[in-house]
Amino acid sequence: LARAVTGDGKVSGDALFFGETVTVAGEVADDVRVVGETVRIRGKVAGDAVALGVRLFVEKDAVISGDLYAVGGEIILEGKVSGAVKVAGGAIRISGSVGGAVEIDLGRPERGQSPDGHKRKGGGKHYDERGDEMQRGRIHQNGPPARPPPRHAMTLGRPRL
């Protein structure tokens, strides 16, 4: 497994990236699938994006023209997703734009920890690495229904989203 993988060029079809730290900074003309401890999407994806990792960042300059499917401990979405967003994780923040339905499934933390393993500050509230309070539970936004991930998205079985 590579320590750091950066995709900063142009890919004319699907892209698949594995690594400890993975950055998708270029352009992908179709779907992208990414697995890594830390995953950063800051480029353009013309299709769907499927991401698995401990920390997942869709940065403010990122554009995903399809849907976003993500599973991780911490998921930060600051960029633009034209389609639906279906994510499951311990800590999730969406401050970017989403064109379709949003479905969020927040994990259940261990006693005394926040959903992503961070310590609680008190009062039973959960905080992310920036010190902002986070919510737990299942959140749905009305909109067009999210499409299921492409069958080829996961070769080891579909993530529970």
Side-chain angles (χ1 to χ4, degrees):
L1 187 65
R3 281 185 68 70
V5 175
T6 301
D8 58 1
K10 290 185 179 183
V11 177
S12 60
D14 289 346
L16 175 63
F17 297 100
F18 289 94
E20 189 173 311
T21 300
V22 180
T23 303
V24 180
E27 294 182 29
V28 178
D30 208 339
D31 298 337
V32 66
R33 291 169 299 287
V34 186
V35 178
E37 184 174 321
T38 300
V39 172
R40 295 184 178 281
I41 299 175
R42 61 172 61 125
K44 294 180 181 179
V45 178
D48 296 337
V50 178
L52 299 163
V54 176
R55 292 176 184 254
L56 305 171
F57 302 95
V58 178
E59 298 182 359
K60 65 180 179 177
D61 293 331
V63 176
I64 299 171
S65 297
D67 298 333
L68 170 65
Y69 303 94
V71 177
E74 179 179 18
I75 301 169
I76 308 292
L77 193 161
E78 296 175 336
K80 178 182 178 182
V81 178
S82 297
V85 170
K86 189 169 185 179
V87 293
I92 299 168
R93 173 182 300 160
I94 299 177
S95 59
S97 67
V98 178
V102 174
E103 185 175 336
I104 298 172
D105 189 358
L106 294 175
R108 296 179 179 213
E110 300 273 333
R111 187 177 183 104
Q113 289 186 336
S114 68
D116 63 347
H118 293 114
K119 297 292 181 189
R120 291 183 183 173
K121 284 188 174 179
K125 295 182 179 178
H126 301 281
Y127 297 85
D128 66 9
E129 66 182 13
R130 296 180 190 167
D132 296 328
E133 184 180 348
M134 299 181 330
Q135 303 297 316
R136 290 179 33 206
R138 197 162 174 83
I139 301 167
H140 296 277
Q141 169 189 318
N142 290 331
R147 293 181 294 151
R151 283 190 287 160
H152 62 278
M154 300 300 302
T155 58
L156 300 176
R158 195 172 271 168
R160 183 179 168 269
L161 295 177

Coordinates of all heavy atoms in Angstrom, one line a residue, residues 21 24 96 100 107 116 126 137 139 145 159:
T21 N -2.6 8.1 2.3 CA -3.2 9.4 2.0 C -3.4 9.5 0.5 O -2.5 9.4 -0.2 CB -2.2 10.5 2.5 OG1 -2.0 10.3 3.9 CG2 -2.8 11.9 2.2
V24 N -7.3 13.4 -4.8 CA -7.8 13.5 -6.2 C -7.8 14.9 -6.5 O -8.8 15.6 -6.1 CB -9.1 12.8 -6.3 CG1 -9.6 12.9 -7.7 CG2 -9.1 11.3 -5.8
G96 N -20.8 22.6 2.0 CA -20.8 22.9 0.5 C -22.3 22.8 0.0 O -23.2 22.8 0.7
G100 N -28.9 17.2 -4.9 CA -29.9 16.2 -4.8 C -30.3 15.9 -3.3 O -30.0 16.7 -2.4
G107 N -22.7 7.2 13.0 CA -22.4 6.0 13.8 C -22.7 6.2 15.3 O -22.9 7.3 15.8
D116 N -16.4 10.1 16.2 CA -15.2 9.8 15.5 C -14.0 9.5 16.4 O -12.9 9.5 16.0 CB -14.8 10.9 14.5 CG -14.5 12.2 15.2 OD1 -14.9 12.3 16.4 OD2 -14.0 13.1 14.6
H126 N -21.0 16.2 21.5 CA -19.9 15.7 20.7 C -19.3 16.9 19.9 O -20.0 17.7 19.4 CB -20.3 14.6 19.8 CG -20.9 13.5 20.5 ND1 -20.2 12.5 21.2 CD2 -22.2 13.2 20.8 CE1 -21.0 11.7 21.7 NE2 -22.2 12.0 21.5
G137 N -27.3 10.7 15.1 CA -28.6 10.2 14.6 C -28.6 10.0 13.1 O -27.6 10.0 12.5
I139 N -30.2 11.6 9.6 CA -30.7 12.8 9.0 C -31.1 12.6 7.6 O -30.3 11.9 6.8 CB -29.6 13.9 9.1 CG1 -29.2 14.1 10.6 CG2 -30.1 15.2 8.5 CD1 -28.0 15.0 10.7
P145 N -34.6 10.9 -4.8 CA -33.9 9.7 -4.1 C -32.5 9.5 -4.6 O -32.3 9.7 -5.8 CB -34.9 8.5 -4.4 CG -35.6 8.9 -5.7 CD -35.7 10.4 -5.7
P159 N -20.7 -1.1 0.8 CA -20.6 -0.5 2.2 C -22.1 -0.3 2.7 O -23.0 -0.1 2.0 CB -19.9 0.8 2.1 CG -20.1 1.2 0.7 CD -20.2 -0.1 -0.1

